[in-house]
Amino acid sequence: MKSAVETLNPTRVRLTVEVPFEELKDSLDAAYKKINQQVTVKGFRKGKIPARVIDQRFGRGAVLEEAVNDALPKFYTEAVNEAELNVLGQPEVDITDLKDGETLNFTAEVDVRPTIEIPDYSGIEVEVDAVEVTDEDIAESVEQLRERFASTSPVERAAEDGDVVTIDLEAKVDGEVLEDGVASGVSYTIGSGELLDGIDDAVKGLEAGGETTFTSELKGGSAAGKEAEVTVKVTQVAARELPELDDEFAQLASEFDTLDELKADSVKRLENMKQYDQATQAQERVLEKLLELVEVPVPEKLLEDEINTRKHNLEHHQLGQMGLDLEKYLELQGKTAEEFDEETREAAVKGIKTQFVLDELVSKEKLNVNQEELTEHLMRRAASSGMSPDQFAQAVVEGGQVPLLVGEVARGKALALVVEAATVKDTNGEVVDLDDEDEEETEDSAEASAETPAEAAEGSAESPAQDKPEA
């Protein structure tokens, strides 16, 4: 077999392959054997039909077609390996010459990873928010805890903001009561925004036994997105009572004996949260600076596939779970379809570029992933997926996704190198020291930025496989 490579553009090549006919022998034998098992010829036992009879009865062309389809993946892969190409996706194959007993010639156009030069990134400088815990932050944190320990008691008055009402609901569309539009004994906090649009205004001012009707667009159920006439009846009004902010509350709501100790702990927790946010912000901004330094051509077919997959995932997975369609989602977001398309394209381009650049860094820096790092990453992914580590690990192994997880960890380590080399200062001009404790956030940031189509759809998406070509 002989092969040659022609570069069509920085992300696409054409392979020209010439195969001597004798190298098709194994595939021809396999073709005759396969056809033998599929056909019946009078006078011959199944599987024992001579090749010459198959040629006479079914045509030599059918055999050649079967043999070529069987052989193409092998010869294509050999040509790719010989040229040391890092291919992306499935090739477009064209058989240019097939002469029985002489030769098989074909071309294969395929996208390839572009050659990327990683520049010196040690001069990257970024600014992030300073870690500052204000009195307002502490008060808000304590107030949120106080809200969690609020109690309720029935009152004989009209409902007000913040009250907890017990209500019965009935929704009609076009005058017909929906099968899933009736609910009784629903507990609702006025002002929480957790039910239907317009319900707050409807129930405020009603006492127990009061009833009213309002119009609202249903967020879920069989008539999601449709305007409904909703009848709401208040069966009870209860006032929320917050506990006093004192040492007794601290003992009730925490392991601390005094309110001062509780507030001191709130300060520590808020500082940790803000440090986490600061580290994430640093990683995102360092990554953006790195991408600005590197010229990364993006294969159009890969970009098109990623855009389509992102849209599919949003429409059929994320929005579907919320009972929304794309049109309603854009309306809620205040975006046009054109703006959504542009944002999706920009996110897809950034994801592909990030993956290419970090993968190149992994190769350049010869980064490896050990078992401990892979296990820790798997545990985090399992937690975020809602599965147990064992379940997640089994799904990963059965789906052949282990190499993809290894790629995720490696890219996280590559980004960590860049962050470590960068100068990060906060808005006060102080240098921020991002130590090893931030490595987890670094990996997560790299994964989020480099998410590719399969990742969004199936939970994985690293380097596209060398798909088998078909004639």
Side-chain angles (χ1 to χ4, degrees):
M1 185 196 80
K2 294 191 301 182
S3 63
V5 180
E6 176 187 357
T7 299
L8 303 178
N9 62 48
T11 62
R12 194 165 180 83
V13 299
R14 178 188 293 122
L15 284 163
T16 301
V17 184
E18 298 180 9
V19 182
F21 204 81
E22 56 267 21
E23 293 187 29
L24 285 172
K25 183 180 184 307
D26 289 344
S27 293
L28 280 169
D29 291 343
Y32 279 116
K33 184 175 182 180
K34 182 176 180 179
I35 294 173
N36 239 309
Q37 300 300 321
Q38 295 175 338
V39 300
T40 302
V41 176
K42 189 175 181 180
F44 297 95
R45 286 182 296 164
K46 198 173 187 64
K48 300 295 183 179
I49 308 170
R52 59 179 176 77
V53 175
I54 290 177
D55 289 345
Q56 292 170 356
R57 295 291 297 271
F58 305 102
R60 173 71 166 178
V63 179
L64 288 176
E65 180 179 358
E66 182 66 39
V68 168
N69 284 336
D70 175 74
L72 273 178
K74 180 185 71 171
F75 293 127
Y76 165 73
T77 301
E78 287 180 6
V80 166
N81 293 338
E82 185 178 287
E84 297 182 343
L85 298 176
N86 197 338
V87 300
L88 302 168
Q90 187 166 340
E92 295 179 5
V93 176
D94 181 27
I95 297 175
T96 56
D97 191 19
L98 175 58
K99 294 180 179 177
D100 194 359
E102 296 183 25
T103 186
L104 163 65
N105 297 338
F106 68 91
T107 62
E109 288 190 17
V110 66
D111 286 333
V112 294
R113 279 180 179 261
T115 300
I116 299 173
E117 295 294 331
I118 304 294
D120 179 15
Y121 48 79
S122 61
I124 290 178
E125 295 186 9
V126 298
E127 184 180 75
V128 295
D129 295 334
V131 173
E132 296 175 343
V133 178
T134 65
D135 291 341
E136 290 76 12
D137 292 331
I138 300 170
E140 182 181 352
S141 175
V142 173
E143 188 64 20
Q144 288 174 351
L145 185 61
R146 192 179 175 211
E147 291 276 353
R148 286 171 50 192
F149 284 86
S151 59
T152 60
S153 58
V155 293
E156 295 182 2
R157 60 165 173 77
E160 302 173 354
D161 269 325
D163 285 342
V164 178
V165 291
T166 304
I167 55 178
D168 298 335
L169 295 165
E170 180 183 84
K172 294 181 180 179
V173 173
D174 297 331
E176 297 291 330
V177 178
L178 300 172
E179 290 185 8
D180 55 355
V182 178
S184 300
V186 177
S187 181
Y188 176 67
T189 301
I190 300 175
S192 66
E194 295 175 350
L195 278 178
L196 300 168
D197 293 337
I199 194 168
D200 289 335
D201 292 335
V203 297
K204 276 192 294 188
L206 294 181
E207 297 183 16
E211 183 177 312
T212 190
T213 299
F214 66 101
T215 301
S216 181
E217 183 177 298
L218 299 179
K219 295 181 180 179
S222 61
K226 293 184 178 181
E227 289 288 330
E229 184 180 83
V230 182
T231 299
V232 55
K233 180 179 180 180
V234 176
T235 59
Q236 178 180 278
V237 179
R240 298 178 75 248
E241 298 176 357
L242 300 177
E244 292 293 328
L245 279 177
D246 51 24
D247 291 346
E248 186 176 339
F249 167 69
Q251 295 165 16
L252 170 68
S254 70
E255 70 271 28
F256 302 106
D257 293 326
T258 68
L259 184 61
D260 287 342
E261 290 175 330
L262 173 61
K263 288 182 177 180
D265 181 68
S266 295
V267 172
K268 290 181 182 178
R269 287 188 297 103
L270 289 169
E271 284 179 344
N272 289 337
M273 290 172 58
K274 287 179 179 285
Q275 286 171 351
Y276 181 96
D277 292 341
Q278 185 189 63
T280 301
Q281 189 179 64
Q283 292 143 15
E284 291 172 350
R285 293 183 178 179
V286 167
L287 178 59
E288 288 173 1
K289 289 282 189 179
L290 176 63
L291 294 181
E292 290 174 5
L293 295 176
V294 187
E295 186 67 30
V296 186
V298 175
E300 280 301 318
K301 182 63 168 61
L302 182 64
L303 177 58
E304 179 185 345
D305 289 345
E306 178 146 356
I307 290 172
N308 290 337
T309 303
R310 285 174 182 257
K311 289 182 178 180
H312 176 85
N313 292 336
L314 177 65
E315 290 188 64
H316 299 281
H317 297 287
Q318 301 169 36
L319 295 184
Q321 293 176 355
M322 295 186 288
L324 298 174
D325 58 20
L326 183 59
E327 183 179 354
K328 182 60 178 177
Y329 169 76
L330 294 180
E331 181 183 329
L332 294 173
Q333 293 290 314
K335 296 177 184 176
T336 65
E338 291 74 19
E339 289 171 335
F340 168 74
D341 288 342
E342 181 59 28
E343 288 180 4
T344 303
R345 180 180 180 86
E346 289 176 359
V349 168
K350 182 181 179 182
I352 293 171
K353 286 185 174 181
T354 298
Q355 182 175 324
F356 285 171
V357 170
L358 294 183
D359 282 348
E360 183 63 28
L361 267 171
V362 169
S363 176
K364 179 181 178 180
E365 302 294 345
K366 297 180 172 56
L367 300 177
N368 295 312
V369 176
N370 60 41
Q371 185 60 49
E372 183 180 357
E373 292 168 332
L374 182 60
T375 300
E376 289 177 356
H377 180 64
L378 186 147
M379 297 283 282
R380 289 197 299 272
R381 285 289 300 270
S384 63
S385 71
M387 301 170 67
S388 72
D390 288 343
Q391 289 173 325
F392 188 80
Q394 182 177 354
V396 166
V397 172
E398 291 178 353
Q401 306 297 308
V402 174
L404 306 184
L405 285 188
V406 172
E408 291 176 1
V409 179
R411 280 194 287 279
K413 295 178 72 171
L415 180 54
L417 277 182
V418 184
V419 173
E420 183 180 356
T423 299
V424 181
K425 293 183 178 180
D426 65 21
T427 49
N428 294 329
E430 299 291 330
V431 174
V432 177
D433 181 21
L434 300 172
D435 57 28
D436 292 340
E437 292 180 2
D438 298 322
E439 184 174 336
E440 177 179 331
E441 296 95 83
T442 306
E443 289 184 15
D444 293 340
S445 178
E447 292 158 28
S449 299
E451 189 178 75
T452 57
E455 222 161 28
E458 308 293 344
S460 64
E462 317 322 21
S463 306
Q466 294 183 11
D467 295 323
K468 292 183 178 181
E470 295 182 0

